[in-house]
Amino acid sequence: MERLVVVGGDAAGMSAASQARRLKGAADLEIVAFERSHFTSYSACGIPYWIGGAVPDRDDLIARTPEEHRARGIDLRMRTEVVELDVAGHRVRSRDLETGTEAWTEYDRLVLATGARPVRPPMPGIQAAGVHGVQTLDDGQALLDTLERTPGRRAVVVGAGYIGVEMAEALVDRDYEVTVLHRGAQPMATLDPDMGTLVHQAMNGMGIRTVAGAEVAEILTDEEGRARAVLTADGRTYPADVVVLGIGVEPRTELARKAGLPLGASGGLLTDLSMRVRGHTDIWAGGDCVEVLDLVAGRTRHIPLGTHANKHGQVIGSGVGGGYATFPGVVGTAVSKVCDLEIARTGLREKDALAAGLQFVTATIASTNTAGYYPGAAGMTVKMLAERRTGRLLGVQIVGGAGAAKRVDIAAVALTAGMTVDQVISLDLGYAPPFSPVWDPILVAARKAAAALRKAGP
């Protein structure tokens, strides 16, 4: 009997284990999985909505419990952290976090799904009570416990990426006075600055104070060691009863680095199309600890999303179980919202295209989510990038009201197919006044991009 060891019990790890179990029975494959936290197979993306109260119960975010995994023939060991990989010896060393007991476990095949952690810059007070990153259910529960026992109603969110704006909304929903501090000229650095301006204006209009160019220098604490304010490099102080870090996440790959496994520029594990770690036929990796191929830019990137993690797990489980599957890459699609404002992007921003050495044109249009005369029509802005020589679509960003964000899926399909903006114009999209203007905003942006290409010339 072969033994599969899985390090990490969330989306990628347990999807891999479950798929391998479906393909190989218990008589042929023993599966041992280690998870350092209290939970398995949950939606980390849903944590801000649980914190904000839109999702009423933590367990609503859990897709499969440890007991359910064990009932399917997986030896799942909770609150157990793998602390060392011995690649040459085909074994891992684990530590029971409750008892401190350590043990070695041998493997024939290994899956690394160690996830990511919130970025905590090295600064005074960053580890103080009341300072929270939000990446796991344990993180979410710790933040919720702080919110419920803290009498003050002032929150400072450090960072204005997806996590930052989603947590700002969650805290507004809990009646907190929210200040968002971010280093860039505009929030949402995943957008170009002109589109980020729209997000900035909308957040201020919702009562969320956003401070651009704010370099956080220290978390100030009270006599009990709890966070009481955030100090920026320019000497300004922002009072806080709770501080939430929304600076982003980094791959949790210390074990892999110490074991000599290949890492990319962001520190994520590098794999082939079957999610095998490069140079190792018996080790796979997936989820937030890996880098993936950007199909538009042609380079690897760290893009921590649950959609990718679950797909990675299916691919890995197929390979371990004797089947065949690949993960070809991504185009960088992501959606979010802050209160009533929807935010979406796919493909390249201007600076991404420049970094890739591409020459391009841009087109930005203002439209509505339905026919303008239909009751409740909401505005949206669409920005499109196209390559000068070929007319190939390079990227799309959308900011607007209800129905804006999911339109990015049209662009994601077009990017994956390598379509030109002229081909996008010809797409046969659905139309009825309650759903779209007669010319969908994506098509209008494509027409304007095509016109910009003609004006720019070869």
Side-chain angles (χ1 to χ4, degrees):
M1 182 188 296
E2 289 188 334
R3 176 184 290 159
L4 167 66
V5 168
V6 178
V7 183
D10 197 9
M14 299 318 293
S15 291
S18 298
Q19 176 72 346
R21 173 56 74 230
R22 281 190 286 269
L23 295 177
K24 277 198 170 185
D28 298 317
L29 182 67
E30 177 189 6
I31 303 177
V32 179
F34 297 98
E35 169 53 42
R36 65 196 302 272
S37 77
H38 294 86
F39 308 98
T40 59
S41 301
Y42 57 87
S43 171
C45 299
I47 292 173
Y49 309 106
W50 165 47
I51 298 297
V55 176
D57 191 272
R58 179 189 67 199
D59 290 350
D60 293 336
L61 301 180
I62 299 173
R64 191 167 290 175
T65 65
E67 292 74 22
E68 290 172 317
H69 284 301
R70 291 174 185 135
R72 289 166 170 80
I74 298 170
D75 179 3
L76 176 56
R77 304 176 188 181
M78 301 298 295
R79 297 291 292 149
T80 306
E81 181 177 17
V82 171
V83 294
E84 184 179 353
L85 304 181
D86 178 5
V87 174
H90 278 66
R91 59 180 187 164
V92 302
R93 181 164 61 91
S94 63
R95 178 182 299 138
D96 186 313
L97 296 177
E98 304 295 344
T99 66
T101 303
E102 295 189 354
W104 286 98
T105 303
E106 296 182 346
Y107 66 83
D108 298 290
R109 303 183 181 205
L110 175 67
V111 174
L112 299 175
T114 47
R117 65 162 59 84
V119 173
R120 284 182 178 259
M123 68 177 66
I126 195 69
Q127 301 294 342
V131 180
H132 294 268
V134 184
Q135 177 67 11
T136 67
L137 269 191
D138 281 335
D139 294 336
Q141 186 62 63
L143 173 58
L144 201 57
D145 291 344
T146 293
L147 296 177
E148 290 176 350
R149 65 173 177 256
T150 300
R153 312 302 295 177
R154 299 169 301 180
V156 171
V157 178
V158 181
Y162 291 108
I163 295 172
V165 299
E166 288 171 356
M167 289 308 305
E169 177 184 4
L171 292 163
V172 166
D173 288 343
R174 293 182 67 89
D175 297 323
Y176 272 74
E177 176 187 316
V178 180
T179 300
V180 178
L181 307 178
H182 58 97
R183 293 188 299 178
Q186 302 296 342
M188 294 300 295
T190 51
L191 304 177
D192 286 324
D194 53 341
M195 298 295 282
T197 297
L198 303 176
V199 179
H200 187 178
Q201 293 169 349
M203 291 175 70
N204 285 346
M206 297 167 190
I208 300 172
R209 181 187 182 189
T210 58
V211 183
E215 184 76 37
V216 174
E218 183 177 353
I219 309 297
L220 303 178
T221 58
D222 60 19
E223 59 278 4
E224 296 178 353
R226 295 189 55 81
R228 64 173 179 83
V230 177
L231 175 67
T232 54
D234 59 5
R236 298 186 181 183
T237 301
Y238 300 88
D241 301 297
V242 62
V243 177
V244 177
L245 303 177
I247 306 170
V249 298
E250 57 189 5
R252 191 186 291 269
T253 51
E254 299 85 356
L255 289 173
R257 179 180 293 106
K258 291 177 182 177
L261 300 181
L263 304 180
S266 68
L269 277 155
L270 296 175
T271 69
D272 62 18
L273 293 178
S274 67
M275 304 307 298
R276 271 191 172 96
V277 174
R278 294 182 189 177
H280 297 267
T281 58
D282 52 6
I283 305 177
W284 288 257
D288 292 355
C289 67
V290 305
E291 295 187 7
V292 295
L293 177 63
D294 184 321
L295 296 173
V296 186
R299 58 184 176 84
T300 61
R301 296 172 55 195
H302 180 235
I303 305 180
L305 284 175
T307 51
H308 303 161
N310 280 284
K311 292 173 185 175
H312 295 168
Q314 290 292 303
V315 170
I316 292 168
S318 295
V320 171
Y324 174 72
T326 62
F327 184 81
V330 303
V331 294
T333 308
V335 296
S336 186
K337 65 183 282 289
V338 53
C339 299
D340 294 329
L341 185 74
E342 298 186 3
I343 306 161
R345 57 73 54 89
T346 189
L348 307 183
R349 300 163 296 179
E350 289 191 30
K351 69 177 184 179
D352 300 325
L354 289 170
L358 298 171
Q359 294 188 6
F360 58 92
V361 300
T362 67
T364 303
I365 63 100
S367 185
T368 54
N369 60 339
T370 67
Y373 55 79
Y374 192 82
M380 76 169 69
T381 301
V382 180
K383 180 175 182 177
M384 187 170 286
L385 279 69
E387 187 179 15
R388 279 190 61 175
R389 183 175 62 85
T390 64
R392 177 172 64 114
L393 180 66
L394 295 178
V396 171
Q397 300 164 41
I398 305 174
V399 175
K406 287 298 284 181
R407 269 185 169 83
V408 81
D409 289 342
I410 303 169
V413 172
L415 283 167
T416 304
M419 295 176 68
T420 67
V421 289
D422 281 322
Q423 290 172 322
V424 172
I425 295 170
S426 300
L427 288 174
D428 183 11
L429 303 183
Y431 162 69
F435 304 104
S436 170
V438 66
W439 277 91
D440 188 272
I442 292 289
L443 303 184
V444 177
R447 288 175 62 184
K448 189 169 182 180
L453 287 168
R454 290 192 294 271
K455 184 177 180 181

